[in-house]
Each structure stands twice: as C-alpha cells, then as structure tokens.
Amino acid sequence: MPTHHHDRILILDFGSQVTQLIARRVREAGVYCEIWPFDAAPSDRVDAFGPKGIILSGGPASVTDTHTPRAPDHVFTRGLPVLGICYGQQTLVAQLGGAVETSDHREFGRAYLDVTEASPLFDGVWAASAREQVWMSHGDRVTRLPEGFRVIGTSEGAPFAAIADEARRFYGVQFHPEVVHTPHGDRLFRSFVRGICGAAGDWTMAAFRAEAIDKIRTRVGAGKVILGLSGGVDSSVAAVLLHEAIGDRLTCIFVDHGLMRAGEAEEVVSLFRGHYNIPLVHVEAAERFLGRLDGVDDPEAKRKIIGATFIEVFDAEAAKIGGAEFLAQGTLYPDVIESVSVTGGPSVTIKSHHNVGGLPDGMTLTLVEPLRELFKDEVRALGRELGLPDRFIGRHPFPGPGLAIRVPGAVSADKLDTLRKADTIYLEEIRRAGLYDAVWQAFAVLLPVRTVGVMGDSRSYDHVCALRAVTSTDGMTADYYPFPHDFLGRVATRIINEVRGINRVVYDITSKPPGTIEWE
Ligand code: XMP
C-alpha cells in the first residue's frame, strides 16, 4: 500500500493503450496516483483509497454500443472533481444525461483545439481564444451536453472537444492530453490535480526515499534479506535503498553468467561491494552456463537453459545464506497494474512478475518489493537521490540472457569475446559522439555468417557484425536511430581494424514492429 499522508488521484482505466501515461503525467505534477480497472472500483474501496479527484481514461469501446464499460455511479456523487478523457469524456456525458454519437468525421492524430472560454481547467495552460495543438483519436463524439455543462474548447471534428461543469468540477476532453503530441498536456494535468482537485505536490523521490526506508524497516524487522542483483537499474536501486534501510542484513547475490558486456561484472562488484560496502556474493558461473549452452542454437532453448541455470545457481547461493526470511525484488508499478481486458474474457487479469523463479524446497521467503509503486523514470530519479552514479542510472536496458541472444546460433567463449570487443568500440564511439542518451538501446550482434574480404594483400573469410541502435519509450515499439554516415563509417573501420574475426559491418535499419529490438 502507498504511504498514507500523500494526496492521491484515482485513474479508472477503460483499456486505453496510453493509460499509464496519464499516471506518469499526474506523478510528474507531484501527485501520487493509481490506475484501477473501471470495474474494480467499488465505493468502499474508493473510500479507503481517499482520492482528491478521479480521472476516467480513454478506451477502445464505443459508448453507443450496449454493454460497454461505464464508470461506477458513485464516481459522480462523491463531490470530487472528475476529468474524463476521450472515452472517459463520452461515458461521463452519456451517464450524466447527454448524448454521444458515432461520427462520420473521425479524427486521428494531430488536431487543433480552439479555446472558446476561460476555465479553471485551462489556468496556467492555455489563454482564452488560443489555438493549440492536441492529439485526437476518436470515432464517436459528444453531440449534446448534460445539464450544467458548457463547451470550453472545440476542434474541427469535435465541437465539444473540451467541456466543463464548474459547479460540480466535472471536466471532459476529447483529445489525449497524456501523450507528448499534445505539447501542453502536462500542464493540463497539473491544473486539474493541483488546481482543481487541490492535491498537494508532495510526491517526490526525496519523500519516497524516507518513507520507503521506514516501511522496509517495519516489514523486515530484525530479519535478513536476499536480493538478486543483475546490474540493471531496478535491482541496483532496490539494493541501495534496502541497504540504507537495514544495512548488512541485506545480502546481494550477483550471478555472473559470463554473458555480460566487457567490464560489466567488475563494475557491479566494485560499485556495490567496494563503493557501497554492501555484502555481495559474486557467483562466477560462466563455465556452467557456457557448458550448458554448448552447441545449442535454438533461441528459445538458449533462453530456457539460461533461465533454469540462473535459478539453480541463485537458489544454491541463497540456501547458503543462513537465516534469510525475505527475498527482495525490483518489481515496478507497470508490472503490478491490474489490466483491463478489452477482448472479453475475464475482465481483470493481474500480470505477475518473477525475476527469480523457484526457490529450494523448504525455503520459504517473503517478498519485499520496495519499488512496486514506481514507474521506471521514478526509479531513475530515486537512484539519483540515493547517489547512484549517472552513468549507471542512465544505462541502456540489457536483456537477462545477455550477449547469448546477440550471438545468433550456438554461443562459444570465443564468439562472446569477439562480440564484446566490437560492442565496446561501438558504445565508446556512441558516447564520444554524445549520442548515448539519445538512443534507447545500442549494441553489436555477431552474425553466424562469414564473408570474404581483402585485408592487406590477403583474402579474409570472417564474421559479419551487425550494429543496432533504436529509439523507443517502452521497448514495445522502436525505430532505428538515424546515425550520420560518417559516424557509421568510423565505427565500421575501427571494428574491422581492431577486432580479429570480423571483416564486415552492417547497420540494421529495421523498426519494431515488424522487427524486434534483439536479433533472437
Ligand atoms: P525485443 O527484442 O523483444 O526486446 O524487441 C524488447 C526489450 O526487451 C529486452 N529483451 C529481453 N529482456 N529477457 C530480458 O530480460 C529476454 O529474454 C529479453 N529479450 C528481449 C530487449 O533488450 C529490449 O529492451
């Protein structure tokens, strides 16, 4: 449960793809919020949560159909401010006695909102009579307002693009203020949650740090905690936070599977053991992993072997740590949000998250998940607050199976070694060009293809190295990064000159979809 003394906002989810962005904008305004499925918000649960306001998300349904989602009636009788977005606006209108119709003028993408009237919703956001870019995605539109409402903004395809009932503090917008394509959307959320709802902007990572430490101490008491440290941002931040709370009663287990990038294992060990002085078990298990992977070329088989071996090694080490009662994980909020099923089926499915699988028989550990209220950007901010180096916090995501999925086909120590050298040069050049932070993920791939080349006076017959760099916000979709040609040329020349075994470099320009970010 979240801490009790922060004002909070409740977001009811109608299944939009971008509901999480609403929560992120609200939190950026310094206000704690949670996302609940629209049909998992009975009155007593909402009472207990005690929100200062409610936001109704967008969603794929049409309120003009029967049996489509509706907000619980109590949402409109609590005396709380309500903001409906897209589908949320339409259901608000339909439920309060207005009308919504399927329009033959559908609006998708960029649109312009004409602010027609001043409203507290627009305070500090847009001036009266301004024309502002917004993002629309709708087929239905409001055609008659419920009593008490007036229009405060219009767009070409939506005459009721922004509506308000100031007396009841009910608002609706047809556009999506949560997406970046509505440039001032963040201010609109701030105006709603801070101005209209009157929520205090006290959700900061400095406050979270102090409260999380108290909560960990209460939960763990005098117990001992084990944490699987991967070197990624989430487990690293969880480790430092736990260590601050319980000191040496935390032991981190770092399973080094031999599939890390150059220097990475040493960096993790020196940072956590050396700098932070956190008890750390460094399990050097490369031989075991590579032995199991020997000759295996099927990508899924490789993943399964790595996953199973990881659990085996972790469990064996965990069992050696006497008296531990708790297992800490770096689970984040997106992993625990209950999601709305828009395809029928059970209306609520809860995603579960398991970084560490089974534990040995007889070992019953209680989970501690100190980051489960946070989004990734909040975890990074908390990491900075805890003094983790920027270089560490800003690291690109790295997959659990590591370099094994960047060597398509069978993996060997030699191939990994070659790949590491190429990858190091590539990342070095990216950093030197100041592009590291502009890219979501960048890495080299060692292809199982050999091609002919001329090196000096002789022919070579060596491997091809593919370079990948993408931009993305969540890893679900991605675009290739448009490096300048001279940059790519420089990296290719360095790799071919400096890495024995590679004589050709190619750049991957596939987006996701249809491609994936990794090659396996
Ligand atoms: P794909 O290749 O599916 O990758 O487009 C999306 C994101 O997920 C990472 N990824 C993985 N992470 N175990 C992980 O922990 C995996 O098996 C795995 N496969 C892909 C990938 O690096 C990217 O950030």
Side-chain angles (χ1 to χ4, degrees):
M1 275 303 283
T3 42
H4 293 285
H5 50 273
H6 291 290
D7 288 340
R8 67 259 319 259
I9 295 289
L10 177 60
I11 298 161
L12 292 186
D13 181 23
F14 290 93
S16 158
Q17 299 285 323
V18 290
T19 302
Q20 285 195 21
L21 294 179
I22 301 176
R24 287 171 57 181
R25 298 291 96 81
V26 170
R27 293 200 184 182
E28 281 161 17
V31 180
Y32 182 78
C33 60
E34 288 188 9
I35 299 172
W36 296 2
F38 69 92
D39 57 353
S43 190
D44 52 347
R45 189 179 175 206
V46 178
D47 288 345
F49 185 64
K52 300 279 277 186
I54 297 176
I55 297 176
L56 310 176
S57 87
S62 167
V63 293
T64 60
D65 293 342
T66 42
H67 307 305
T68 50
R70 294 287 178 271
D73 289 334
H74 66 81
V75 164
F76 304 111
T77 55
R78 306 184 148 261
L80 289 178
V82 178
L83 171 65
I85 296 172
C86 197
Y87 184 86
Q89 180 206 34
Q90 292 159 10
T91 197
L92 171 146
V93 164
Q95 290 183 251
L96 296 176
V100 176
E101 282 173 16
T102 300
S103 161
D104 39 3
H105 190 133
R106 292 143 64 95
E107 268 182 316
F108 288 100
R110 184 175 296 121
Y112 288 89
L113 177 84
D114 289 310
V115 175
T116 53
E117 302 233 10
S119 161
L121 186 65
F122 295 148
D123 280 355
V125 186
W126 292 318
S129 78
R131 187 176 173 82
E132 298 288 345
Q133 184 187 316
V134 295
W135 192 258
M136 293 276 190
S137 174
H138 66 109
D140 295 349
R141 65 185 192 185
V142 174
T143 52
R144 193 184 71 240
L145 290 179
E147 209 162 306
F149 277 84
R150 67 195 171 101
V151 175
I152 55 175
T154 64
S155 75
E156 199 177 320
F160 300 81
I163 59 173
D165 174 343
E166 318 284 8
R168 288 186 286 181
R169 297 183 297 167
F170 290 167
Y171 298 87
V173 290
Q174 183 57 69
F175 56 91
H176 287 272
E178 66 274 32
V179 303
V180 292
H181 313 286
T182 297
H184 300 145
D186 53 343
R187 296 195 214 155
L188 192 114
F189 282 107
R190 173 174 284 265
S191 162
F192 180 70
V193 301
R194 302 279 294 276
I196 292 164
C197 301
D202 58 0
W203 174 254
T204 62
M205 285 306 106
F208 178 87
R209 173 189 190 172
E211 291 155 14
I213 286 171
D214 279 351
K215 278 198 285 183
I216 292 166
R217 287 184 181 145
T218 309
R219 181 159 170 80
V220 170
K224 279 191 184 178
V225 180
I226 299 172
L227 176 136
L229 189 66
S230 67
V233 177
D234 307 341
S235 64
S236 300
V237 170
V240 177
L241 184 69
L242 278 152
H243 189 247
E244 210 168 280
I246 60 167
D248 289 357
R249 283 182 289 118
L250 168 72
T251 303
C252 293
I253 299 176
F254 170 50
V255 176
D256 183 352
H257 49 22
L259 304 165
M260 309 285 274
R261 285 167 292 199
E264 216 161 30
E266 295 76 7
E267 199 185 347
V268 170
V269 173
S270 81
L271 182 66
F272 289 91
R273 195 187 274 161
H275 179 76
Y276 281 106
N277 217 359
I278 298 178
L280 174 73
V281 181
H282 176 192
V283 197
E284 294 183 62
E287 263 179 47
R288 185 176 326 190
F289 279 87
L290 291 185
R292 298 264 171 91
L293 286 169
D294 191 30
V296 180
D297 58 9
D298 176 67
E300 278 317 296
K302 284 161 69 176
R303 272 198 174 74
K304 285 207 175 86
I305 290 171
I306 295 166
T309 311
F310 182 91
I311 289 167
E312 182 185 300
V313 174
F314 183 89
D315 287 357
E317 290 304 321
K320 288 184 202 162
I321 299 167
E325 300 151 45
F326 296 92
L327 177 70
Q329 288 192 344
T331 313
L332 304 191
Y333 190 49
D335 301 320
V336 297
I337 295 174
E338 298 170 51
S339 49
V340 171
S341 164
V342 289
T343 52
S347 65
V348 177
T349 44
I350 299 177
K351 287 187 257 170
S352 61
H353 180 91
H354 299 286
N355 286 327
V356 179
L359 284 158
D361 291 344
M363 244 182 117
T364 45
L365 297 180
T366 306
L367 274 188
V368 183
E369 297 174 315
L371 310 180
R372 60 180 282 130
E373 291 162 19
L374 305 186
F375 284 105
K376 189 85 178 186
D377 35 4
E378 293 176 311
V379 172
R380 293 209 171 95
L382 177 62
R384 275 184 214 106
E385 185 68 37
L386 290 163
L388 272 161
D390 265 345
R391 193 182 152 95
F392 209 82
I393 289 168
R395 291 216 292 203
H396 293 167
F398 187 65
L403 299 183
I405 57 172
R406 295 177 181 173
V407 177
V411 176
S412 69
D414 283 348
K415 285 185 189 169
L416 288 168
D417 196 43
T418 306
L419 175 61
R420 273 189 197 103
K421 289 180 180 142
D423 194 67
T424 302
I425 293 171
Y426 183 35
L427 287 174
E428 230 172 67
E429 290 294 334
I430 289 176
R431 284 191 193 274
R432 185 171 297 159
L435 294 173
Y436 188 85
D437 294 335
V439 166
W440 160 269
Q441 241 176 325
F443 52 87
V445 181
L446 186 72
L447 303 192
V449 177
R450 292 165 80 194
T451 65
V452 173
V454 224
M455 290 180 113
D457 293 329
S458 52
R459 274 162 62 93
S460 64
Y461 189 54
D462 280 333
H463 284 278
V464 180
C465 169
L467 304 178
R468 182 90 165 122
V470 296
T471 54
S472 176
T473 49
D474 52 12
M476 305 295 287
T477 59
D479 248 330
Y480 78 89
Y481 189 79
F483 283 126
H485 280 246
D486 62 336
F487 170 85
L488 288 171
R490 195 158 63 240
V491 176
T493 305
R494 271 200 68 193
I495 291 177
I496 293 165
N497 285 347
E498 296 174 37
V499 185
R500 195 172 284 271
I502 293 176
N503 69 351
R504 193 178 293 266
V505 173
V506 297
Y507 187 55
D508 180 356
I509 56 166
T510 318
S511 62
K512 173 183 179 174
T516 52
I517 296 175
E518 303 289 348
W519 275 49
E520 271 199 339

